[in-house]
């Protein structure tokens, strides 16, 4: 027998030498939840996401410092406002919870860390949907100007990247046009181009207080059985001005990440979502999984599928313990 693939696996040094996919801190983005109802350095643990917290504005700024010190290059902000209404007015308030956090982080850290801000309505609307609602219907075109206002308010606060996650048709175009018209042509758009109507979002909706008060999001988020549709959505977002695209969730949609990588020449990201996090944390707490090995394998698989970057609640843990 002349060909023995096992020769390349016989010890760790050889395995490390020929490994095709590697994971580094530079691949990671850490989410931060900022709660306007919290004061000082107060933080509150999220019940369904052990070791994940909502922070006050001051606490979020301090957390960003800790993340930067670990060598993680970026954070993504999600806001929980004091006030919610039908038009998400708190989302584009110049003194809103995310806007103040962006300014505080940039004043403290400058370019030491990239600040991404999720751009959506669901955390800020009284009904919990990602768009304007009329007679029980989520209106696409009426939502677009509000998304543009949110993105512009983030840009004015100093954000590096805006990340529309609403899944309204045409939102990348109106956001890009607004940014360009107001002199923010260097602000990047990371579009949640293929965001599926997944059952893995439950813990996030607790964390961000963003569960819909009626119905569900299947009329705007993607059908879980579709893959060709993802290519259409991604192509449209790139054409409209997206600089980076995101697949959400990641673990159950590795095929979509690979499809995107094979078909588009832009940075591709995967979002390892709250349900993925909660499952592993629960199983490891019960001793059913080796937590460190499983986390590393999940993140490496997302990278192997083709992701250039990964949003993950394990970013800090991985940077401290695994990388």
């Amino acid at each position: 027998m002349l060909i023995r693939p096992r020769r390349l696996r016989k010890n760790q040094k050889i395995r490390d030498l020929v490994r095709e996919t590697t994971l580094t801190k530079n691949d990671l983005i850490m989410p931060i939840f900022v709660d306007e109802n919290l004061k000082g350095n107060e933080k509150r643990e999220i019940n369904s996401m052990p070791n994940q917290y909502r922070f006050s504005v001051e606490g979020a700024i301090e957390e960003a410092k800790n993340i930067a010190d670990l060598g993680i290059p970026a954070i993504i902000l999600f806001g929980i406002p004091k006030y919610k209404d039908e038009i998400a007015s708190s989302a584009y308030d110049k003194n809103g919870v995310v806007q103040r956090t962006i300014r505080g982080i940039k004043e403290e850290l400058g370019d030491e860390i990239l600040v991404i801000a999720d751009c959506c309505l669901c955390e800020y609307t009284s009904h919990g949907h990602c768009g304007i609602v009329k007679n029980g219907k989520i209106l696409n075109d009426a939502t677009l100007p509000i998304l543009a206002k949110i993105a512009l308010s983030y840009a004015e606060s100093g954000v590096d990247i805006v990340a529309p996650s609403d899944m309204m048709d045409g939102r990348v175009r109106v956001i890009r046009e607004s940014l360009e018209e107001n002199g923010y042509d260097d602000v990047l758009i990371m579009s949640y181009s293929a965001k599926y109507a997944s059952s893995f979002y439950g813990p996030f909706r607790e964390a961000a207080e963003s569960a819909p008060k009626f119905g569900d999001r299947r009329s705007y988020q993607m059908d879980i059985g579709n893959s060709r549709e993802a290519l259409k959505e991604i192509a449209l977002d790139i054409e409209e001005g997206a600089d980076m695209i995101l697949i959400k969730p990641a673990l159950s949609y590795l095929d979509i990440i690979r499809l995107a990588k094979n078909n588009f020449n832009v940075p591709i990201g995967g979002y390892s979502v709250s349900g993925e996090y909660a499952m592993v944390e629960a199983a490891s707490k019960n001793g059913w999984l080796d937590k460190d090995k499983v986390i590393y394998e999940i993140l490496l698989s997302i990278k192997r599928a083709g992701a250039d970057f990964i949003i993950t609640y394990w970013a800090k843990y991985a940077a401290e313990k695994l990388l």
Side-chain angles (χ1 to χ4, degrees):
M1 185 181 294
L2 299 178
I3 300 172
R4 295 183 184 269
R6 286 185 56 189
R7 294 188 193 108
L8 295 174
R9 304 179 205 141
K10 72 176 185 177
N11 62 47
Q12 190 62 48
K13 290 297 182 185
I14 290 175
R15 292 193 294 271
D16 288 344
L17 182 69
V18 300
R19 173 166 279 184
E20 298 171 28
T21 305
T22 56
L23 184 71
T24 75
K25 295 178 184 180
N26 285 331
D27 299 318
L28 306 178
I29 298 170
M30 180 71 195
I32 300 180
F33 296 98
V34 195
D35 189 339
E36 196 171 25
N37 300 290
L38 302 180
K39 301 297 182 185
N41 282 316
E42 188 180 358
K43 66 179 183 180
R44 187 173 299 163
E45 189 168 18
I46 300 160
N47 290 333
S48 55
M49 299 174 69
N51 301 311
Q52 299 297 314
Y53 298 86
R54 293 185 192 175
F55 295 92
S56 65
V57 171
E58 295 84 355
I61 295 167
E62 193 61 34
E63 179 71 355
K65 292 180 188 176
N66 296 334
I67 292 166
D69 286 344
L70 288 170
I72 297 167
I75 57 169
I76 183 166
L77 301 175
F78 299 92
I80 299 99
K82 284 182 179 178
Y83 173 74
K84 300 188 180 196
D85 60 24
E86 291 189 353
I87 59 169
S89 60
S90 293
Y92 51 85
D93 185 339
K94 293 183 186 298
N95 289 307
V97 61
V98 169
Q99 289 82 351
R100 286 187 284 127
T101 305
I102 294 168
R103 288 196 294 269
I105 292 171
K106 284 302 180 182
E107 286 169 7
E108 292 281 342
L109 295 173
D111 292 334
E112 289 180 45
I113 196 162
L114 288 169
V115 178
I116 307 166
D118 182 79
C119 186
C120 196
L121 276 64
C122 58
E123 295 109 314
Y124 302 90
T125 51
S126 51
H127 48 71
H129 275 286
C130 302
I132 297 299
V133 173
K134 185 176 182 179
N135 298 325
K137 182 179 179 181
I138 292 82
L139 302 181
N140 192 93
D141 293 3
T143 302
L144 301 183
I146 295 176
L147 291 166
K149 289 171 73 172
I150 297 168
L152 182 59
S153 73
Y154 291 162
E156 291 170 342
S157 300
V159 82
D160 297 292
I161 303 170
V162 296
S165 61
D166 54 282
M167 288 300 288
M168 298 296 129
D169 294 337
R171 90 272 203 198
V172 172
R173 175 181 52 79
V174 297
I175 289 171
R176 175 55 69 205
E177 288 175 353
S178 177
L179 293 174
E180 296 277 336
E181 288 168 5
N182 287 277
Y184 295 102
D185 53 303
D186 59 345
V187 172
L188 287 82
I189 297 176
M190 180 181 76
S191 180
Y192 291 66
S193 298
K195 182 178 180 179
Y196 284 83
S198 172
S199 298
F200 282 93
Y201 301 151
F204 176 93
R205 290 174 182 172
E206 176 201 342
E209 292 184 358
S210 62
K213 297 293 191 292
F214 68 89
D216 55 39
R217 294 179 176 147
R218 288 182 293 175
S219 70
Y220 46 102
Q221 293 179 356
M222 281 185 56
D223 188 285
I224 62 174
N226 293 355
S227 58
R228 294 194 305 273
E229 184 183 16
L231 297 179
K232 178 180 179 181
E233 292 280 3
I234 293 166
L236 285 169
D237 282 359
I238 294 170
E239 184 180 329
E240 291 176 11
D243 303 285
M244 311 157 71
I245 66 100
L246 191 63
I247 313 299
K248 181 181 181 182
L251 190 58
S252 294
Y253 298 85
L254 297 177
D255 59 321
I256 308 302
I257 294 173
R258 173 46 58 186
L259 268 176
K261 189 70 170 182
N262 289 345
N263 283 277
F264 301 103
N265 191 26
V266 298
I268 309 289
Y271 195 143
S272 181
V273 298
S274 59
E276 299 166 25
Y277 178 90
M279 289 192 302
V280 172
E281 292 293 321
S284 64
K285 183 178 180 180
N286 282 284
W288 299 335
L289 292 175
D290 183 316
K291 178 176 175 176
D292 289 1
K293 289 182 179 178
V294 168
I295 291 170
Y296 187 81
E297 185 174 344
I298 287 172
L299 296 180
L300 191 68
S301 73
I302 297 168
K303 184 82 181 294
R304 189 186 64 241
D308 299 295
F309 57 93
I310 304 167
I311 300 176
T312 172
Y313 302 99
W314 288 306
K316 282 181 66 182
Y317 186 88
E320 290 174 322
K321 301 261 181 100
L322 307 178
L323 302 175

